[in-house]
Amino acid sequence: MFHAYPAASWTETPKHAFSSSLSPDEFKALFRGHPGGVAVITADAGEGPVALTATSVVSVSAEPPLLIFSISTLSSASAVLSRAETVVVHLLDAHDVGLAQLGATPGIDRFAQAHSWSRLSTGEPVFDDARAWVRCAVIDRMDAGTSTVIAAHALESHFTRDIAPGEPGDALVYHNRSWHRLGEHSRLEV
């Protein structure tokens, strides 16, 4: 059973007054050095599919299986994602860098190549060759500055390429404005 929660907002008047704040450029510079895993999120709220690349996907809880991610309100996909009841989060590896670039490129039809995606029986668009995907029900949304944070309950998953526990895999990471592959060469022995 899913519960609808009242919408929260981090854009409301703060309870504390702050004498200073980082500028947007300072904040971006700070996080440029903090790598993030790469995902593509798809949805369809009834007007056609949308997709975007995100580095903000985080697992929150295994019981129940919950994840969160954020989307910029400036994204062309934000209107659909703000209404969609379900989403598909594609967790990418280095073999999916083309899909990551597709979701990050503004102004293009991300679904023009009909052979690269399909619809699940429940209607959501899914990119067929991504490393893994998880279909989720949206359970909450919260405005946070110029973004929306979305909480989702994992319903169904699929692996095209899985990795065994402790194995390096071919993780795709976005760091300092470029794509990187994590693998055995990047493992630190500590």
Side-chain angles (χ1 to χ4, degrees), residues 90 99 102 110-118 126-130:
H90 302 74
L99 178 56
L102 178 74
R110 294 175 176 104
F111 296 93
Q113 294 186 19
H115 67 277
S116 66
W117 69 281
S118 59
V126 64
F127 287 103
D128 299 320
D129 294 330

Side-chain angles (χ1 to χ4, degrees), residues 27-143:
F27 194 72
K28 289 175 186 177
L30 181 68
F31 275 87
R32 231 186 343 264
H34 185 72
V38 183
V40 166
I41 300 165
T42 59
D44 189 342
E47 301 90 32
V50 297
L52 62 83
T53 298
T55 58
S56 60
V57 176
V58 178
S59 67
V60 176
S61 168
E63 289 185 34
L66 302 175
L67 59 88
I68 60 171
F69 59 90
S70 66
I71 56 168
S72 168
T73 56
L74 303 175
S75 167
S76 60
S78 68
V80 171
L81 287 166
S82 70
R83 294 187 317 274
E85 294 180 11
T86 58
V87 297
V88 176
V89 178
H90 302 74
L91 301 173
L92 308 184
D93 65 14
H95 303 280
D96 300 316
V97 71
L99 178 56
Q101 291 170 319
L102 178 74
T105 303
I108 63 168
D109 179 358
R110 294 175 176 104
F111 296 93
Q113 294 186 19
H115 67 277
S116 66
W117 69 281
S118 59
R119 288 192 183 268
L120 299 176
S121 62
T122 48
E124 297 88 354
V126 64
F127 287 103
D128 299 320
D129 294 330
R131 182 191 75 80
W133 55 258
V134 57
R135 179 178 161 263
C136 302
V138 174
I139 61 170
D140 202 1
R141 291 178 176 88
M142 178 180 66
D143 293 330

